[in-house]
C-alpha cells in the first residue's frame, strides 16, 4: 500500500492590504486575522497484481473488475497478447485458443469503465454548473433587493464549499458593498443604478426604523450550510432581509452605521480575494472600489483607481470619476477637483450637469471667480438649459460679495463684438465685464425673443455651415450602413433631382396623431397649412413608409386621390420595405436646412448615435411641432431665440431653466445684470428703444398686451403669439397687409375662414 500524505497547513495571520496591481495601499482602519483550518488527509492506493492463471476465470475477473470500476477506481488490468506455450522465468504460459471469446468480457469491462468515468465527469460538471447557476441566482436576488448581508453570506458559503467565483460574482458583491458603504443602497442589478456624486450619507444619531441593521438580519439565514439551502430559503421566505420594513420610498434603503462599516470592511476583503484569485478586473468592479474609497473619504485613493484603469487598458466611464470628484468637491479642494476634470477631458470623457454642478458649488464656496466663469461657459456648451438646483447656485454666486468685486471696468468694445461674431453669437468669453452688485430676476422671454424683465433682445445663434454639412454627411453615412440594397443612396439621388424643399413632413407622425389608425387627411391638412407659411408656397416633402400608402384603406377614392395629388406634385417619397423612415426625413431636413414638421422628440437610440453636441442645436432651430384644433392644424414654430445660456456684449447673462413644460413661452429664465445698469433701474415699460434693430444690443419695445408686472398675462399672451393657426387660404396681398398690421399693433392676427 502506497500512502501520499498532504502536509497540514499551519494557522496563519495576515494584515489586510489593498493591492492595486503594482502598488500597495495599507488600510490602517482595518486589520483582518484569519485562521485557516488544518487539513490532514491522505490517499491510499492498493496495487492490484494479476496472474496469468486468473485469465481462465473470465467470469470472476469480469465481476471483480466491474466492482472496482463501479467504486470509482480505474482498471489496472493489462492488455494481453496471444503467446505460444513455453516457460519464462519458471512461470507457466497459457495459450488461448479462442482469444476473442476469452477477452470479450475484458473488453466489455474496459468499455464499462470508460463509460462510467465519462458519466461521473458529466455528473460533476452538471453539479458544478448547477451550483454556479444557483450562486448567480442568489446574488441577482440580493442585488435586486439591495440585500448586502445576504450577498456576503453567499460569498462566505461559496468559499466554504470551494466554489470558484468569476468576474460577474465579484462585480455584484462589490457593487452591493460599495452601495452599503455610502449609507444608501439602490436596489438594482450591478452597475445599473443611477450615477451619483453625493457624499456618503451621514448616519443618524437616533435609532431609525427605516435603517437596515446587522442585528435585524434573520438568524435563520445564518443557519444555512450550503449555497443551495441559502438560496432556497431566500426564495421561500417573504421576510428575507426584512426589506418589508426598510423600503418605504424610491430613494433607496438606508443602512445603519454598523452595516456601513461591515460592508466596507468585507468589501475590501472581497476585492483582495479577487486579486489573489487573479480574476480579471473591469470598469464596474474598479468603480465599486473607488466608491468604497469615497466612503472612507479618501479621494486620492479613488482617483488612483481611475488612473490605474487607463494604465492597464481599461477605459473609465463618467461614473468612474464620480467618487474622487465628490470627495474633493465636498472637502473644498478646488485644485484637485479640477485635476480630475482635466483627466476626464484628456480621456475623451465630458462632464455632465451633476459633475459641473459639483464643480460650480466648490468654486463658488471658495470664491474662485475665474472657475465660475469657466463653468458657466461649460454649462452653455454642453447643457444649454440648467436644472433648478444649478440655477439656485448661479443665483447664489451673482448675489455674493465676491461676484460684485470682479469684472473689468474698461474693455475694448470692438474686440468684444468681434469675439461674439466669431463665436456665432450669444457669447464672447472675454471674462467678467463691469463692476458693482448684480441683480438677479426670474423672467420669461416673449415671442419676439425679448426678455420681459430687461427688454434685452436675445439672439438666435447661427449654425456653422461647414458644421451643418459635416452633420449631414454623418447622418447619411449612418443611414447608408443600416439601410439595405442601396435604398438610401437612391433617396439621395432622388433629392438631388427633385429638391430643394423648404419643409419636410414626418408623414407617419402626422397621420397617426392622437390615434392608432393612419389618416391621410391629417397629413393633407398639415401639408396645406405649412405650405401657406413658406415663402415660395412650394409643396413640402412628405416622407412615408410604403406600407402607409398601400392596402384597403388607401384604395378608398378620397385617400387614393390625395396620394395621387402628392405624387403628381413630386412631393412624396415612399421608403422601401425594411427601411427606417426616420433617417430619410431627418437627412432631407438637414440637407436642405429647412423646417421639419414632427412631434417626434428624437430621443431613441437611433438619434443617440448623432451625439449631444450639434444635433440639439439643429433640432431647436428647425423642428416645428403641431397640434390640431377644431378649426385646423396649429403650428408651434421654433423659438425666436436660442434656448441656451447667453452672455451679452455688456456682460449681462440670461440663463434658461429646464422644465417639463411643453411650451417654450412658459419657460423661466434668470435675467442677470449689474445693479448700476440703466436696465436695472427701470422696467421694460420705460426702456429706451434702440433705433438700430440689427444691433445685437437691440432692446425690444414694450407692448400694452404684455405688462411686465403680470407674468400670468404675459405668458398667456406670449403663448398666443407663437401659435399659428391655418384654416384657409390667403389671396392677393392679404399676407403683406396682415404682416403690416401685426407690426403696427405688435400682435399676431389669428384669422379663420
Amino acid at each position: 500500500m502506497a500512502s501520499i500524505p498532504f502536509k497540514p497547513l499551519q494557522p496563519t495571520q495576515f494584515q489586510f492590504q489593498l493591492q492595486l496591481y503594482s502598488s500597495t495601499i495599507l488600510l490602517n482602519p482595518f486589520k483582518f486575522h484569519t485562521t485557516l483550518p488544518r487539513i490532514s488527509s491522505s490517499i491510499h492506493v492498493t496495487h492490484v497484481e494479476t496472474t496469468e492463471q486468473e485469465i481462465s476465470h473470465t467470469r470472476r475477473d469480469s465481476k471483480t473488475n466491474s466492482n472496482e470500476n463501479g467504486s470509482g477506481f480505474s482498471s489496472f488490468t493489462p492488455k494481453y497478447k496471444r503467446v505460444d506455450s513455453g516457460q519464462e522465468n519458471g512461470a507457466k504460459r497459457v495459450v488461448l485458443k479462442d482469444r476473442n471469446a476469452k477477452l470479450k468480457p475484458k473488453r466489455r469491462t474496459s468499455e464499462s469503465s470508460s463509460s462510467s468515468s465519462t458519466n461521473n465527469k458529466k455528473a460533476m460538471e452538471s453539479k458544478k454548473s448547477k451550483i454556479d447557476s444557483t450562486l448567480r441566482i442568489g446574488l441577482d436576488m440580493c442585488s435586486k433587493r439591495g440585500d448586502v448581508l445576504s450577498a456576503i453570506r453567499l460569498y462566505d458559503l461559496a468559499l466554504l464549499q470551494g466554489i470558484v467565483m468569476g468576474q460577474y460574482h465579484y462585480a455584484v458583491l462589490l457593487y452591493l458593498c460599495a452601495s452599503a458603504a455610502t449609507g444608501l443602497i439602490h436596489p438594482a442589478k450591478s452597475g445599473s443604478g443611477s450615477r451619483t456624486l453625493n457624499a456618503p450619507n451621514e448616519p443618524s444619531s437616533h435609532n431609525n426604523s427605516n435603517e437596515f441593521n446587522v442585528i435585524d438580519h434573520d438568524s435563520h439565514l445564518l443557519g444555512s450550510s450550503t449555497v443551495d439551502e441559502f438560496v432556497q430559503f431566500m426564495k421561500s421566505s417573504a421576510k428575507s432581509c426584512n426589506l418589508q420594513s426598510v423600503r418605504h420610498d424610491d430613494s433607496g434603503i438606508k443602512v445603519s452605521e454598523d452595516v456601513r462599516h461591515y460592508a466596507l470592511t468585507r468589501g475590501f476583503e472581497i476585492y483582495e480575494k479577487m486579486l489573489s484569485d487573479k480574476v480579471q478586473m473591469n470598469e464596474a468592479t474598479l468603480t465599486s472600489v473607488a466608491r468604497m474609497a469615497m466612503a472612507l473619504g479618501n479621494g486620492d485613493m479613488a482617483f488612483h483607481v481611475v488612473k490605474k484603469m487607463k494604465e492597464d487598458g481599461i477605459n473609465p466611464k463618467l461614473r468612474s470619476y464620480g467618487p474622487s470628484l465628490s470627495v474633493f468637491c465636498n472637502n473644498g479642494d478646488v485644485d484637485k477637483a479640477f485635476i480630475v476634470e482635466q483627466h476626464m477631458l484628456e480621456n475623451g470623457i465630458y462632464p455632465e450637469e451633476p459633475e459641473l454642478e459639483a464643480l460650480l458649488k466648490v468654486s463658488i464656496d471658495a470664491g474662485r471667480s475665474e472657475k465660475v466663469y469657466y463653468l458657466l461657459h461649460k454649462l452653455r456648451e454642453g447643457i444649454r438649459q440648467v436644472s433648478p438646483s444649478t440655477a439656485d447656485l448661479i443665483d447664489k454666486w451673482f448675489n455674493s460679495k465676491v461676484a460684485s468685486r470682479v469684472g473689468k471696468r474698461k474693455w475694448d468694445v470692438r474686440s468684444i463684438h468681434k469675439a461674439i461674431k466669431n463665436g456665432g453669437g450669444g457669447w464672447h468669453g472675454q471674462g467678467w465685464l463691469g463692476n458693482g452688485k448684480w441683480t438677479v430676476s426670474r423672467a420669461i422671454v416673449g415671442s419676439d425673443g425679448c426678455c420681459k424683465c430687461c427688454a434685452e433682445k436675445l439672439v438666435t445663434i447661427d449654425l456653422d455651415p461647414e458644421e451643418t454639412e459635416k452633420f449631414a454627411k454623418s447622418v447619411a453615412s449612418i443611414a447608408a450602413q443600416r439601410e439595405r440594397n442601396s435604398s438610401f443612396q437612391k433617396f439621395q439621388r432622388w433629392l438631388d433631382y427633385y429638391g430643394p424643399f423648404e419643409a419636410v413632413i414626418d408623414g407617419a407622425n402626422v397621420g397617426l396623431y392622437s390615434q392608432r389608425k393612419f389618416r391621410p387627411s391629417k397629413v393633407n391638412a398639415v401639408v396645406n397649412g405649412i405650405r401657406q407659411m413658406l415663402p415660395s408656397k412650394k409643396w413640402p416633402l412628405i416622407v412615408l413608409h410604403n406600407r402607409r400608402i398601400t392596402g384597403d384603406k388607401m384604395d378608398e377614392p378620397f385617400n387614393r386621390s390625395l396620394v395621387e395629388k402628392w405624387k403628381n406634385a413630386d412631393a412624396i417619397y415612399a421608403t422601401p420595405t425594411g427601411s427606417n423612415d426616420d433617417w430619410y426625413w431627418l437627412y432631407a431636413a438637414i440637407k436642405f436646412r429647412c423646417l421639419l414638421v414632427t412631434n417626434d422628440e428624437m430621443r431613441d437610440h437611433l438619434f443617440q448615435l448623432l451625439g449631444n453636441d450639434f444635433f440639439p442645436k439643429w433640432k431647436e432651430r428647425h423642428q416645428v411641432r403641431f397640434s390640431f384644433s377644431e378649426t385646423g392644424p396649429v403650428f408651434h414654430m421654433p423659438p425666436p431665440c436660442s434656448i441656451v445660456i447667453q452672455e451679452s456684449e455688456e456682460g449681462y447673462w440670461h440663463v434658461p431653466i429646464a422644465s417639463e413644460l411643453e411650451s417654450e413661452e412658459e419657460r423661466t429664465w434668470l435675467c442677470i445684470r449689474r445693479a448700476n445698469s440703466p436696465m436695472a433701474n427701470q422696467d421694460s415699460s420705460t426702456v429706451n428703444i434702440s433705433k438700430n434693430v440689427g444691433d445685437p444690443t437691440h432692446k425690444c419695445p414694450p407692448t400694452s398686451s404684455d405688462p411686465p408686472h403680470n407674468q400670468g398675462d404675459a405668458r398667456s399672451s406670449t403663448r398666443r403669439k407663437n401659435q399659428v393657426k391655418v384654416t384657409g387660404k390667403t389671396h392677393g396681398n392679404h399676407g403683406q397687409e396682415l404682416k403690416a398690421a401685426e407690426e403696427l399693433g405688435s400682435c399676431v392676427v389669428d384669422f379663420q375662414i
Side-chain angles (χ1 to χ4, degrees):
M1 179 179 293
S3 177
I4 308 174
F6 282 90
K7 183 179 180 180
L9 297 177
Q10 298 299 325
T12 61
Q13 292 184 340
F14 62 93
Q15 187 179 48
F16 174 69
Q17 293 181 343
L18 170 63
Q19 297 177 353
L20 292 174
Y21 304 100
S22 59
S23 61
T24 301
I25 302 174
L26 182 61
L27 297 179
N28 294 327
F30 308 115
K31 294 182 180 180
F32 300 87
H33 301 281
T34 303
T35 302
L36 300 179
R38 294 177 181 268
I39 302 176
S40 181
S41 60
S42 60
I43 298 177
H44 302 280
V45 182
T46 302
H47 179 66
V48 181
E49 296 181 357
T50 306
T51 62
E52 286 140 350
Q53 286 82 355
E54 293 174 334
I55 299 177
S56 61
H57 305 286
T58 56
R59 293 182 180 178
R60 186 176 64 183
D61 288 343
S62 174
K63 182 178 180 180
T64 301
N65 286 313
S66 176
N67 290 337
E68 289 173 352
N69 290 328
S71 63
F73 290 94
S74 299
S75 174
F76 289 91
T77 305
K79 296 180 181 179
Y80 293 96
K81 297 181 180 180
R82 182 172 181 175
V83 296
D84 295 331
S85 61
Q87 301 288 336
E88 183 177 340
N89 297 330
K92 182 179 178 181
R93 307 193 72 177
V94 180
V95 178
L96 302 178
K97 295 181 180 180
D98 188 357
R99 179 177 180 273
N100 293 332
K102 296 293 183 181
L103 293 181
K104 190 174 183 180
K106 289 290 182 181
R107 192 176 298 127
R108 282 201 301 267
T109 300
S110 177
E111 292 172 357
S112 175
S113 173
S114 176
S115 176
S116 176
S117 177
T118 302
N119 291 337
N120 288 339
K121 184 177 180 181
K122 289 182 178 180
M124 291 177 64
E125 291 177 351
S126 176
K127 183 178 180 181
K128 180 180 178 182
S129 176
K130 182 180 179 181
I131 293 174
D132 179 75
S133 176
T134 303
L135 176 61
R136 185 173 183 131
I137 291 171
L139 289 175
D140 282 344
M141 291 171 62
C142 294
S143 181
K144 291 176 182 178
R145 298 174 180 178
D147 186 359
V148 62
L149 298 183
S150 291
I152 293 174
R153 177 61 179 162
L154 280 171
Y155 167 77
D156 291 335
L157 291 174
L159 291 183
L160 289 175
Q161 291 183 248
I163 300 174
V164 178
M165 288 177 284
Q167 187 184 82
Y168 180 84
H169 305 108
Y170 282 110
V172 176
L173 287 163
L174 290 173
Y175 170 76
L176 285 171
C177 288
S179 298
T182 62
L184 192 66
I185 304 176
H186 295 277
K189 283 195 173 183
S190 175
S192 64
S194 61
R195 181 171 51 82
T196 177
L197 282 179
N198 295 332
N201 292 287
E202 292 297 330
S204 58
S205 57
H206 59 279
N207 186 22
N208 190 343
S209 61
N210 193 35
E211 287 187 347
F212 190 15
N213 297 279
V214 174
I215 297 176
D216 295 335
H217 202 256
D218 287 346
S219 58
H220 304 59
L221 301 179
L222 302 179
S224 304
S225 59
T226 65
V227 169
D228 185 67
E229 290 179 4
F230 191 79
V231 172
Q232 291 303 321
F233 183 86
M234 291 175 63
K235 290 180 178 179
S236 61
S237 176
K239 296 181 179 180
S240 175
C241 311
N242 287 335
L243 292 182
Q244 301 292 337
S245 63
V246 297
R247 187 186 302 171
H248 293 283
D249 50 45
D250 295 330
S251 61
I253 301 173
K254 294 181 180 179
V255 300
S256 61
E257 179 63 18
D258 58 345
V259 173
R260 290 178 57 179
H261 182 79
Y262 180 71
L264 186 60
T265 304
R266 296 304 305 272
F268 280 122
E269 178 186 331
I270 291 168
Y271 175 61
E272 175 71 12
K273 183 72 169 86
M274 187 179 183
L275 287 176
S276 65
D277 288 348
K278 297 182 180 179
V279 178
Q280 185 178 4
M281 298 289 168
N282 63 4
E283 182 273 334
T285 55
L286 290 176
T287 296
S288 294
V289 176
R291 293 181 67 204
M292 292 190 293
M294 177 184 69
L296 283 175
N298 194 331
D300 292 322
M301 182 192 298
F303 190 33
H304 180 76
V305 172
V306 180
K307 289 188 287 187
K308 289 300 295 182
M309 282 188 199
K310 195 63 181 178
E311 293 173 8
D312 293 301
I314 300 173
N315 292 323
K317 296 182 179 179
L318 182 58
R319 65 180 182 180
S320 307
Y321 289 92
S324 56
L325 189 62
S326 175
V327 174
F328 293 142
C329 289
N330 284 293
N331 290 344
D333 198 332
V334 180
D335 294 332
K336 285 188 176 180
F338 278 92
I339 289 175
V340 174
E341 189 245 3
Q342 183 63 31
H343 194 274
M344 295 169 63
L345 298 176
E346 290 173 355
N347 289 284
I349 297 175
Y350 299 94
E352 296 180 357
E353 189 167 11
E355 291 76 22
L356 294 175
E357 184 179 351
L359 289 166
L360 182 62
K361 183 179 185 303
V362 70
S363 300
I364 291 173
D365 292 342
R368 301 285 292 271
S369 61
E370 78 285 0
K371 296 296 185 184
V372 174
Y373 187 84
Y374 165 80
L375 290 168
L376 283 176
H377 280 286
K378 279 290 181 182
L379 289 166
R380 177 189 60 79
E381 294 172 4
I383 309 303
R384 298 173 66 81
Q385 310 160 24
V386 303
S387 65
S389 59
T390 303
D392 291 340
L393 279 176
I394 295 173
D395 192 333
K396 176 183 176 181
W397 161 253
F398 282 103
N399 282 301
S400 67
K401 292 182 179 179
V402 178
S404 65
R405 291 195 294 263
V406 298
K408 301 175 182 177
R409 293 179 180 271
K410 296 181 180 180
W411 59 89
D412 186 353
V413 176
R414 288 178 297 180
S415 64
I416 297 295
H417 186 77
K418 183 178 180 181
I420 290 176
K421 183 178 180 181
N422 292 339
W427 68 284
H428 54 75
Q430 301 299 302
W432 302 111
L433 301 182
N435 65 299
K437 292 183 178 180
W438 295 86
T439 297
V440 182
S441 305
R442 308 256 169 168
I444 60 172
V445 174
S447 61
D448 52 2
C450 293
C451 175
K452 295 291 183 179
C453 182
C454 69
E456 181 81 19
K457 173 69 175 178
L458 302 187
V459 302
T460 299
I461 299 175
D462 297 333
L463 297 177
D464 185 358
E466 293 184 3
E467 196 173 3
T468 304
E469 185 65 26
K470 290 180 181 178
F471 184 57
K473 290 181 179 178
S474 68
V475 172
S477 175
I478 296 173
Q481 294 173 8
R482 282 162 172 73
E483 298 296 311
R484 56 189 181 185
N485 300 327
S486 302
S487 57
F488 194 79
Q489 287 84 345
K490 294 178 182 177
F491 175 64
Q492 289 178 293
R493 292 192 293 270
W494 189 92
L495 290 178
D496 291 337
Y497 185 80
Y498 290 102
F501 295 91
E502 293 180 273
V504 176
I505 311 293
D506 177 4
N509 186 266
V510 174
L512 293 171
Y513 179 82
S514 72
Q515 75 220 354
R516 300 183 63 180
K517 292 184 179 180
F518 179 76
R519 291 182 58 185
S521 58
K522 286 194 172 183
V523 178
N524 188 57
V526 167
V527 167
N528 291 336
I530 201 70
R531 185 183 176 190
Q532 294 179 36
M533 302 171 63
L534 300 178
S536 67
K537 301 297 187 289
K538 182 181 178 180
W539 283 87
L541 171 62
I542 307 165
V543 177
L544 273 172
H545 197 278
N546 64 358
R547 72 174 182 272
R548 302 290 183 192
I549 59 175
T550 57
D552 297 337
K553 277 285 183 183
M554 298 306 297
D555 288 338
E556 296 177 3
F558 178 73
N559 292 337
R560 189 167 59 250
S561 65
L562 288 178
V563 174
E564 289 300 322
K565 179 177 68 173
W566 299 334
K567 287 182 177 179
N568 293 334
D570 297 322
I572 186 172
Y573 188 89
T575 61
T577 302
S579 65
N580 188 334
D581 56 343
D582 291 0
W583 291 116
Y584 291 76
W585 50 254
L586 178 62
Y587 173 77
I590 296 171
K591 175 181 174 64
F592 297 126
R593 302 172 188 177
C594 63
L595 298 175
L596 172 62
V597 182
T598 180
N599 286 338
D600 194 328
E601 292 299 330
M602 294 174 264
R603 291 174 180 167
D604 60 27
H605 68 282
L606 293 176
F607 301 103
Q608 295 301 320
L609 297 172
L610 304 177
N612 295 321
D613 185 18
F614 185 80
F615 184 51
K617 302 176 189 176
W618 180 90
K619 188 173 78 165
E620 178 187 271
R621 300 306 317 143
H622 293 270
Q623 184 176 6
V624 177
R625 293 175 175 83
F626 66 92
S627 59
F628 284 92
S629 68
E630 295 179 355
T631 56
V634 179
F635 297 99
H636 305 271
M637 305 303 289
C641 62
S642 296
I643 311 300
V644 62
I645 296 175
Q646 297 198 18
E647 179 187 29
S648 74
E649 198 167 350
E650 293 89 357
Y652 306 155
W653 295 80
H654 285 85
V655 181
I657 302 175
S659 67
E660 299 297 328
L661 299 173
E662 295 183 359
S663 175
E664 281 295 336
E665 298 80 20
E666 298 181 10
R667 182 184 301 280
T668 300
W669 291 65
L670 290 182
C671 175
I672 306 167
R673 59 210 182 279
R674 295 284 184 179
N676 56 10
S677 67
M679 294 300 103
N681 298 322
Q682 54 187 332
D683 58 34
S684 59
S685 61
T686 59
V687 142
N688 293 326
I689 303 171
S690 172
K691 295 181 180 180
N692 186 3
V693 179
D695 189 348
T697 62
H698 166 57
K699 301 298 185 293
C700 301
T703 64
S704 58
S705 62
D706 296 329
H709 299 293
N710 190 333
Q711 277 198 358
D713 293 342
R715 290 184 179 186
S716 61
S717 175
T718 303
R719 191 184 308 115
R720 291 192 301 270
K721 285 184 177 182
N722 205 42
Q723 294 178 357
V724 180
K725 292 185 179 180
V726 181
T727 57
K729 295 184 179 180
T730 58
H731 303 278
N733 294 324
H734 290 177
Q736 296 179 358
E737 294 173 359
L738 285 173
K739 184 177 180 181
E742 289 174 346
E743 292 177 352
L744 181 63
S746 298
C747 63
V748 172
V749 178
D750 185 2
F751 65 94
Q752 298 179 10
I753 299 176

